[in-house]
Amino acid sequence: MTSNKYEIDFHARLPSGELWLVQVSLDISDETTLAREIRPFANLSPAEAGARKLLISLYSSSSVGVPDEVEHISASEWLLSFETVLAAR
């Protein structure tokens, strides 16, 4: 759960100290689903505001409606390039 009291799928602190907040969704093409999935990233505490915000989805490759501060990536891309994703941070 985030400081704004919304459920987040994964809250991870890496050994480097970096915080990741991750939402995972089957399909975000529906506006209601997308709104629900990105809601936890809004109005975070100062400690959470600097976190890496990831939205991973299986079926929607479109990032339309995803805020700029949220990284949207397909599940297949994330799984196949996990080492690249980590190296980019």
Side-chain angles (χ1 to χ4, degrees), residues 33-81:
T33 302
L34 176 60
R36 182 186 66 239
E37 295 299 334
I38 62 174
R39 188 174 319 141
F41 298 126
N43 303 314
L44 296 171
S45 72
E48 294 169 328
R52 182 174 185 190
K53 300 162 193 75
L54 289 167
L55 173 57
I56 301 170
S57 64
L58 186 59
Y59 292 124
S60 179
S61 60
S62 172
S63 293
V64 173
V66 177
D68 291 340
E69 67 272 9
V70 176
E71 298 174 56
H72 176 231
I73 188 169
S74 71
S76 59
E77 183 181 353
W78 186 76
L79 289 169
L80 292 173
S81 64

Side-chain angles (χ1 to χ4, degrees), residues 2-42:
T2 61
S3 61
N4 59 14
K5 307 297 185 210
Y6 288 109
E7 179 183 324
I8 192 92
D9 292 330
F10 297 97
H11 181 264
R13 183 148 323 262
L14 303 184
S16 66
E18 182 180 16
L19 176 62
W20 284 21
L21 300 175
V22 182
Q23 285 290 90
V24 180
S25 181
L26 184 64
D27 185 359
I28 60 166
S29 59
D30 177 73
E31 289 180 25
T32 304
T33 302
L34 176 60
R36 182 186 66 239
E37 295 299 334
I38 62 174
R39 188 174 319 141
F41 298 126

